[in-house]
Amino acid sequence: MAYSEKVIDHYRNPRNVGSLPKDDPNVGTGLVGAPECGDVMKLQVRVNPVTRVIEEAKFKTFGCGSAIASSSLATEWVKGKTVEEALQIKNTEIVRELNLPPVKIHCSVLAEDAIKAAIGDWKRKSGLAEAAPASAPAVAPAQE
Amino acid sequence: MKETQTLTASDLRCWSCGAAAGRAHFCPCCGKIQPLPPDTDYFAFFDLPRRLGLDERALEASYHELSWRLHPDRFAQASEAERRLSLDRSAQLNDAFRTLRDPVRRVEYLLWLAGRRREGEARQQAPPELLEEVFALNETLEELRQARHAGGEAAAEASLRRQLEAEQQKLETLLAAVDAELAEAAAAWDRALDSGAAAEPLLDRLNEILNRRSYLRNLVENIRQEMAAD
């Protein structure tokens, strides 16, 4: 399968690879996987507790080029956003940006799930999990 | 299974003599090869119920018989349309056989028919209890790759290898357990089907088991390749 140029770019020069200290109270960690292909994706965010802005994001993904590109793009997009804004990122936007073919849509779904999981983890750590029913539409149906 | 089937087997008539042909490969009346009804799934192709336990030898026997009867060579003198039907049915025969003869692919196919495993429709969930382990394992694999790349440090490499071997054994054990679980759930599905009990929850269970299985399989395969790399 031919990868789009953007996928290849993110694959060759992945942005924000690495990890953040898991035990840091301001760091949220999302670990998700796709059983179809065995991909695993870890995405971490460091949130400013006052402004709720994501100041740093790191990822590490074991998987195909599209999974790596999707998570690399996801870290780029969440940086500088508030957690609420970051939760609005939809997998379909990733699909569009990276030109993912239908068989690779699940990679973008994984990236969206990873963002939500990381922020969810941060909220839990900060004791915000229950206090935030605003995240009701958090799991949007992934359809394209 | 949302769309109501409009085709029933009794509606299907032979294109040549008009007799009721059902889903038969050949018209029971005039013997002409029949077109493949569009909603014929692999089970229906072999005239089998959607059971997960099946007699694999009987399946193979019908496969051999049908591949001979449907073979395009036998239609060399027939009309263009019949030659096409023979090609269609032969292609379907091969796909159906390859899918149904393998117990795992059979489950996958059943779930696909039930709408559980279609890309973009039903989302597959990875087993969360395995994720940490999978991630750690992938990191060890990567370390091994890097150690090998850098050369030297034979001791470090050997220790990584030992670690992976232990991990591999653990995974193989897990995989065997998952296979047993799958076989058990498949048997439960058949029992529910036979007794007319609600089998829907079993589909979810089969799907979940299959997910865990493919995860483990990928891991075992990755380790195996990595160990064989030099």
Side-chain angles (χ1 to χ4, degrees):
Chain A
M1 179 193 342
Y3 282 122
S4 74
E5 259 169 57
K6 280 178 179 157
V7 170
I8 292 168
D9 178 40
H10 275 279
Y11 180 71
R12 293 219 175 113
N13 314 295
R15 332 293 200 253
N16 312 309
V17 177
S19 58
L20 298 171
K22 220 180 147 174
D23 299 325
D24 184 325
N26 296 328
V27 168
T29 301
L31 187 57
V32 293
E36 299 94 332
C37 44
D39 291 359
V40 253
M41 191 179 277
K42 186 171 82 175
L43 193 146
Q44 294 181 298
V45 291
R46 187 201 298 281
V47 183
N48 180 319
V50 179
T51 60
R52 293 166 76 93
V53 166
I54 296 171
E55 293 179 336
E56 213 180 345
K58 294 275 183 202
F59 85 95
K60 188 150 190 192
T61 293
F62 295 102
C64 66
S66 303
I68 291 170
S70 296
S71 36
S72 169
L73 180 67
T75 54
E76 272 199 322
W77 278 0
V78 298
K79 264 211 279 190
K81 285 195 166 73
T82 64
V83 293
E84 285 73 22
E85 287 165 349
L87 285 172
Q88 299 304 314
I89 295 172
K90 292 276 170 296
N91 83 294
T92 47
E93 300 168 68
I94 298 172
V95 170
R96 219 171 303 131
E97 174 71 16
L98 296 175
N99 258 318
L100 296 180
V103 293
K104 292 294 180 185
I105 288 176
H106 67 268
C107 298
S108 70
V109 173
L110 210 55
E112 184 190 319
D113 286 349
I115 296 174
K116 300 213 152 94
I119 293 176
D121 183 50
W122 172 78
K123 282 188 173 172
R124 222 168 300 121
K125 275 182 169 175
S126 321
L128 298 166
E130 291 84 7
S135 63
V139 183
Q143 2 158 294
E144 176 67 327
Chain B
M1 305 183 184
K2 26 194 186 270
E3 65 270 70
T4 42
Q5 304 289 5
T6 43
L7 278 176
T8 61
S10 56
D11 291 335
L12 299 164
R13 305 211 149 257
C14 172
W15 58 271
S16 177
C17 75
R23 292 184 190 285
H25 303 284
F26 299 93
C27 173
C29 181
C30 69
K32 292 276 191 194
I33 187 166
Q34 296 299 306
L36 198 57
D39 59 346
T40 304
D41 63 62
Y42 294 161
F43 290 99
F45 188 90
F46 280 106
D47 200 16
L48 289 167
R50 287 185 183 180
R51 290 175 54 104
L52 290 173
L54 61 77
D55 182 342
E56 285 170 25
R57 292 180 64 173
L59 179 75
E60 198 171 339
S62 7
Y63 168 71
H64 286 307
E65 194 213 320
L66 284 173
S67 34
W68 178 75
R69 291 179 65 201
L70 296 171
H71 200 283
D73 286 357
R74 305 189 72 227
F75 294 83
Q77 308 302 320
S79 70
E80 163 88 48
E82 285 166 276
R83 285 208 301 275
R84 218 184 42 238
L85 295 179
S86 125
L87 279 173
D88 284 355
R89 282 205 178 258
S90 296
Q92 177 91 344
L93 172 69
N94 288 321
D95 292 344
F97 178 61
R98 266 198 296 268
T99 303
L100 294 187
R101 76 169 160 186
D102 179 306
V104 174
R105 292 187 63 183
R106 206 182 302 150
V107 178
E108 270 171 354
Y109 183 66
L110 179 79
L111 291 169
W112 183 84
L113 281 177
R116 289 292 201 289
R117 293 180 86 78
R118 296 186 197 198
E119 187 78 38
E121 279 185 29
R123 276 171 63 176
Q124 307 299 314
Q125 291 300 326
E129 74 282 3
L130 280 177
L131 282 176
E132 297 270 358
E133 200 164 336
V134 172
F135 198 84
L137 181 65
N138 272 302
E139 281 189 319
T140 316
L141 282 171
E142 195 180 63
E143 273 177 60
L144 176 68
R145 236 168 275 142
Q146 279 164 358
R148 192 178 290 145
H149 222 68
E153 282 293 338
E157 201 183 313
S159 126
L160 284 168
R161 281 184 158 274
R162 272 195 304 280
Q163 223 173 308
L164 285 173
E165 264 160 31
E167 197 63 51
Q168 191 174 23
Q169 263 173 24
K170 204 165 109 195
L171 289 170
E172 305 260 18
T173 313
L174 278 174
L175 197 56
V178 170
D179 277 339
E181 225 182 304
L182 187 65
E184 193 222 310
W189 161 265
D190 286 356
R191 280 196 303 276
L193 211 64
D194 294 345
S195 69
E200 283 289 299
L202 285 168
L203 289 176
D204 294 330
R205 190 154 149 241
L206 284 165
N207 200 25
E208 184 272 324
I209 298 173
L210 221 50
N211 283 344
R212 255 185 299 145
R213 186 180 186 280
S214 56
Y215 228 91
L216 291 169
R217 282 253 338 212
N218 276 325
L219 288 175
V220 170
E221 187 55 24
N222 281 350
I223 300 179
R224 208 188 51 73
Q225 277 179 10
E226 210 53 56
M227 300 287 244
D230 53 2

